[in-house]
Amino acid sequence: MTTPVLTPVPADANPAVVLRAAADYIDQHGWLKGALYPEGYTSCPPACVTGAIRIVVCGRPSPDAKDRSKNQTTRILVAERVFAAHLGHTFDPDQTRRIRLAIETWNDRAWRSVIDVTNELRAAATAYDDTNGGAR
C-alpha cells in the first residue's frame, strides 16, 4: 500500500522529540485502538501510539520491520522503551515484544481517551528531557 511521505523527525532526534511528534500526529490525524492503522488506510491514517511513533520516525505508516531501515527500527524501539518506562514498565531492552504489548494494552483500554494518550506521550517526553538534560 503506497502512502505519501510525511516529514519524519530528524534522524538525530532524541526519544522526547519522537514522543512529542507522535502526540502531535495523533492530534492532527486521529487516534486508533486495536490496530496500528485502520484497515485499508490510504494517507495520514489515524494511529495507535505505536503506529504514530512509527509514522513520525519513518515519514509514513510502517507496519513491518521490513518496511524500514535498521536505524529507523532502533529509533522506534528506543522511543517505545522510554514510553513504556514512563508508564511504569521495566523490561530488559531486548524484550521488544513485551514492551510493545504493554504499550498496546495501555493504548487499547476501553476507558482510555485521546487526551490521555497525547498527554502521556508529552509527559513521557518531558520526563525524558528532565532526566537527560533537555531536548535535542
Side-chain angles (χ1 to χ4, degrees):
M1 182 168 304
T2 303
T3 57
V5 175
L6 306 168
T7 302
V9 295
D12 62 348
N14 73 20
V17 172
V18 172
L19 295 174
R20 279 191 193 92
D24 292 345
Y25 181 88
I26 289 170
D27 278 342
Q28 291 178 331
H29 302 286
W31 171 59
L32 186 67
K33 291 182 182 185
L36 291 172
Y37 318 110
E39 189 174 324
Y41 62 87
T42 55
S43 66
C44 302
C48 71
V49 169
T50 302
I53 289 169
R54 291 177 184 195
I55 288 171
V56 301
V57 168
C58 298
R60 58 182 164 57
S62 179
D64 296 312
K66 65 184 177 199
D67 295 334
R68 57 187 173 264
S69 72
K70 183 174 178 150
N71 178 275
Q72 289 170 328
T73 296
T74 299
R75 293 170 48 223
I76 289 165
L77 294 174
V78 170
E80 290 173 344
R81 284 184 199 118
V82 168
F83 190 64
H86 173 76
L87 297 176
H89 299 285
T90 53
F91 298 113
D92 181 297
D94 294 328
Q95 293 178 305
T96 304
R97 174 105 175 90
R98 290 186 68 200
I99 292 166
R100 287 201 176 125
L101 182 60
I103 293 170
E104 290 166 6
T105 300
W106 179 87
N107 182 90
D108 294 347
R109 294 276 189 229
W111 45 266
R112 182 85 53 223
S113 75
V114 68
I115 300 298
D116 297 331
V117 171
T118 56
N119 284 348
E120 286 305 319
L121 283 164
R122 289 184 177 106
T126 298
Y128 181 90
D129 283 342
D130 290 349
T131 303
N132 294 283
R136 285 190 272 161

